[in-house]
Amino acid sequence: MKKLPLILMAILLLILAFIPLFRQQNSTRQQEGYSGGDKIIIVYDNKALSGFKSAWGFAALVKFKNHTILLDTGGDGEILLANMKKLNINPKSIQYVFLSHIHGDHTGGLWAILGENPNVTVVLPAIFPESFKEKVRSFGAKVVEIDNPREILEDVYTTGVMFPVGEQALVLKTSKGLVVVTGCSHPGVVKIVERAENITGENVYLVVGGFHLFGASEREVRAIATSLKKLGVQKLMPCHCTGSRAERIFAEEFGPDYVECGVGKIISW
């Protein structure tokens, strides 16, 4: 019987010895979220995780099928580059810059990106001013102008230019369904989701980005949430110009399938 306390003590000491190893493995798994696999990394937003800088605007790094796409560039290039550095994202790894619309809080950081990496293709709405397109080309970057919906890379689509404002959204065809990344959703997030589904014939699994609802009533937001669910949307990550009230309502409506946005956040599928 005297041996039993000794055995229990030995087991306890063994468990304590392995706790640091478990912590180290967990930390490694968190760090692995920044490399490999299809994902979206928020690099510019009104909100930020600790250690990152927040500012009005939006930018998201999309890693999909060996493509690296920066959707929008926020409003301040210095802030954008600082957040990317904190996330260990090399600007030279970006292959494509996809601009949703002309507003400065989505295009202001572009020149800092082109200064670091001019060897990119900038995909933008054809209605952008010619002076803007020429400035992009002056860095040595290629410009692709968008009017209508089309596939721009393998399983990567643009919704085409939608009004008002003249905005495009990015659509990824994944094994779980479509992933839609928006800038501000000036045309309406429901209309953007409908367009994405009409283009591809598939349902939208996830929507990420600004929804432009900071002035919307609770009734309107709940109606939008209902419409998105009817369209098959399963997960939601509202960012930037969505508004705190709309975010709270979407969180209630989507429950565990709601993902809070902010610089440093990563969502994968």
Side-chain angles (χ1 to χ4, degrees):
M1 293 297 291
K2 292 182 179 180
K3 291 183 179 180
L4 185 57
L6 293 175
I7 293 172
L8 291 174
M9 181 63 72
I11 292 172
L12 179 60
L13 289 172
L14 189 62
I15 291 171
L16 290 172
F18 274 94
I19 284 175
L21 178 59
F22 292 150
R23 286 177 177 168
Q24 183 180 5
Q25 288 174 339
N26 184 57
S27 175
T28 301
R29 281 195 289 270
Q30 290 176 348
Q31 292 171 1
E32 285 173 353
Y34 297 105
S35 62
D38 296 339
K39 64 173 69 67
I40 296 169
I41 307 171
I42 307 302
V43 294
Y44 202 108
D45 189 58
N46 307 3
K47 296 185 292 185
L49 299 182
S50 178
F52 296 99
K53 296 182 180 181
S54 62
W56 182 263
F58 185 68
L61 191 81
V62 179
K63 297 184 73 66
F64 180 65
K65 288 186 178 291
N66 297 317
H67 302 305
T68 301
I69 306 167
L70 180 65
L71 183 137
D72 289 343
T73 61
D76 185 298
E78 185 177 341
I79 293 174
L80 175 63
L81 291 176
N83 286 333
M84 289 174 62
K85 184 177 181 179
K86 184 81 174 177
L87 287 160
N88 295 318
I89 298 170
N90 187 342
K92 290 181 171 55
S93 69
I94 298 169
Q95 300 164 301
Y96 304 89
V97 178
F98 184 98
L99 297 178
S100 63
H101 62 298
I102 190 63
H103 291 169
D105 53 335
H106 295 259
T107 61
L110 176 62
W111 318 116
I113 291 295
L114 294 181
E116 296 288 328
N117 178 15
N119 299 314
V120 297
T121 298
V122 180
V123 182
L124 48 71
I127 62 170
F128 269 41
E130 287 302 319
S131 58
F132 188 100
K133 299 170 192 173
E134 286 305 314
K135 186 174 179 180
V136 172
R137 293 188 183 102
S138 72
F139 281 83
K142 180 182 178 181
V143 173
V144 172
E145 302 182 41
I146 299 296
D147 281 310
N148 302 313
R150 63 185 176 96
E151 188 174 22
I152 55 177
L153 296 165
E154 181 187 0
D155 292 332
V156 179
Y157 297 79
T158 169
T159 58
V161 180
M162 302 175 67
F163 293 89
V165 174
E167 182 174 350
Q168 62 173 341
L170 191 69
V171 182
L172 314 175
K173 187 185 286 187
T174 80
S175 59
K176 289 191 175 181
L178 303 179
V179 173
V180 176
V181 193
T182 68
C184 263
S185 299
H186 287 287
V189 65
V190 174
K191 289 183 179 179
I192 290 173
V193 167
E194 289 174 338
R195 172 71 68 88
E197 294 188 347
N198 288 336
I199 293 167
T200 62
E202 298 188 14
N203 286 346
V204 171
Y205 168 71
L206 164 68
V207 187
V208 177
F211 293 174
H212 199 65
L213 294 171
F214 48 79
S217 67
E218 179 173 343
R219 182 177 180 180
E220 183 181 356
V221 176
R222 292 199 187 277
I224 290 170
T226 298
S227 296
L228 291 175
K229 288 179 181 179
K230 286 182 178 178
L231 288 166
V233 175
Q234 297 180 44
K235 291 183 177 292
L236 214 60
M237 189 179 189
C239 305
H240 177 41
C241 56
T242 302
S244 57
R245 176 169 58 185
E247 289 174 358
R248 173 182 58 79
I249 295 168
F250 282 128
E252 292 174 2
E253 293 285 342
F254 279 83
D257 291 322
Y258 174 90
V259 183
E260 188 172 353
C261 192
V263 179
K265 292 296 286 289
I266 300 171
I267 187 166
S268 57
W269 51 88

